[in-house]
Amino acid sequence: MKQVLGNTAFLLLQAVFTPLYAVLVCAAFWLPPRQRNLLCAGYVRVLLAWARGLCGIHWRIEGRENIPPKPFVVLSKHSSTWETLMLESLFAPGSFVAKRELLWIPFFGWGFALSSPITIDRSAGATAMEKMIAQGRERLFQRGFTIVVFPEGTRIAPGKRGKYKTGGVRLAQGCDVPVLPVAHNAGYCWPRHPWRKHAGVITLSILPPVATRNRDVTELNAEIEGVIEAEVERLGSGRGLSLRND
C-alpha cells in the first residue's frame, strides 16, 4: 500500500509540476542555450528527488573515473524513464538525440525543444545523418554540450535486448569523438508502465570510453553493444535493495 500511495503521489506531482516548469522554461527562451539546458536539468533533478522520497528508488553511480574530457558521445542502454532523467542530470548540459515527434507533446515537448536536442528528421532521407552530424558538431564544439544517444531507439523491457542501430556510432565518428558506453538496471525499479515503480537500488555503470577514429562502423557498433549488454547482465536487478544515494 505504501508503494501504491507513493507512486500515485509522484504521478500527481509530476502532472502538476511539468506544465508549470515548461512555462518557466518557455519564458526563459531568451537565455543562451547552455543556461536553458541547465534550467531543464533542474526539472529532472526534482523528479529524481521525488522518485527517491516517494517511490523508494535509490541509485549508485559506478565508473565516474571513466568519464573522459569533453567532447564525447554517450551511448546508453534504454529501459526506463529514469536513465533519461539521470543522464541529463549527470552530463548537463546535455543534448539528447530524439525523434522530432517528441517536440509536439504539449508542455513537455515545448520545454524539451528549448534544451537543444538533436532531432531526427526521417523525411530527410539520405541527408538525415549529415544533418545530425552537423547538429552534433555544433553542440559539442560550439556549445560544449555532451550528446546522449539511446542506440536501441526505444525503451526495452529489462532482461531483453533491442537492435542497436548504428546512428550513435556514426554520429560520434562524424564528429571525431569517442563513445562513452553506459549500462544500468533501471527498468527493474522503474518499468515502462507509469504506475509500476518499485523500491530498490538502481546501478548506473559508466564503462571505459571507446575510440571511434578509423573503425569499421559495424564492428564498432557490435563492440559497444557487447560491452553494454554484458554489464547489464552483470548488474542484474536492484529491486528490493536498500541503499543511501551517492
Side-chain angles (χ1 to χ4, degrees):
M1 179 59 71
K2 179 181 178 182
Q3 188 71 53
V4 172
L5 291 175
N7 292 353
T8 302
F10 177 91
L11 288 173
L12 291 174
L13 285 169
Q14 183 183 22
V16 173
F17 184 62
T18 297
L20 293 176
Y21 207 93
V23 170
L24 172 63
V25 173
C26 290
F29 71 91
W30 52 273
L31 289 174
R34 182 182 182 89
Q35 279 63 47
R36 291 201 310 262
N37 191 279
L38 294 175
L39 182 61
C40 292
Y43 167 78
V44 304
R45 287 167 183 151
V46 170
L47 294 189
L48 288 169
W50 285 344
R52 178 188 60 202
L54 296 171
C55 307
I57 297 176
H58 296 255
W59 60 85
R60 59 188 170 205
I61 311 294
E62 298 179 354
R64 291 180 189 267
E65 68 279 5
N66 290 324
I67 300 176
K70 289 185 176 183
F72 56 87
V73 172
V74 174
L75 262 61
S76 173
K77 181 70 178 177
H78 195 22
S79 62
S80 169
T81 299
W82 180 88
E83 67 269 11
T84 305
L85 304 177
M86 179 53 68
L87 292 173
E88 168 62 22
S89 175
L90 189 61
F91 293 108
S95 183
F96 282 75
V97 174
K99 296 177 291 188
R100 291 180 64 190
E101 290 78 6
L102 288 178
L103 307 183
W104 304 338
I105 300 174
F107 297 110
F108 170 82
W110 306 338
F112 181 55
L114 289 170
S115 72
S116 301
I118 295 175
T119 55
I120 303 172
D121 183 3
R122 302 184 184 209
S123 65
T127 64
M129 195 68 232
E130 296 176 8
K131 291 181 177 180
M132 283 181 58
I133 291 172
Q135 291 182 72
R137 295 185 67 85
E138 191 270 343
R139 302 298 192 276
L140 291 170
F141 299 114
Q142 295 183 31
R143 300 190 187 184
F145 283 27
T146 294
I147 296 174
V148 180
V149 183
F150 296 121
E152 292 165 295
T154 188
R155 285 173 290 180
I156 304 297
K160 305 292 184 181
R161 180 190 299 202
K163 177 179 173 58
Y164 278 59
K165 301 176 180 65
T166 61
V169 166
R170 292 163 63 196
L171 175 62
Q173 279 196 326
C175 296
D176 195 22
V177 297
V179 163
L180 186 66
V182 171
H184 58 83
N185 54 3
Y188 290 100
C189 292
W190 191 328
R192 188 163 192 160
H193 195 290
W195 293 93
R196 294 178 182 172
K197 295 179 179 64
H198 308 280
V201 179
I202 295 171
T203 300
L204 184 141
S205 179
I206 303 170
L207 301 165
V210 179
T212 62
R213 184 179 296 178
N214 299 326
R215 293 289 306 275
D216 177 79
V217 169
T218 302
E219 291 180 1
L220 178 59
N221 197 58
E223 176 185 338
I224 292 169
E225 176 181 359
V227 298
I228 290 176
E229 291 296 332
E231 183 68 359
V232 168
E233 184 175 355
R234 183 190 73 83
L235 294 175
S237 171
R239 187 185 298 182
L241 299 180
S242 177
L243 179 74
R244 295 181 63 185
N245 282 339
D246 288 348

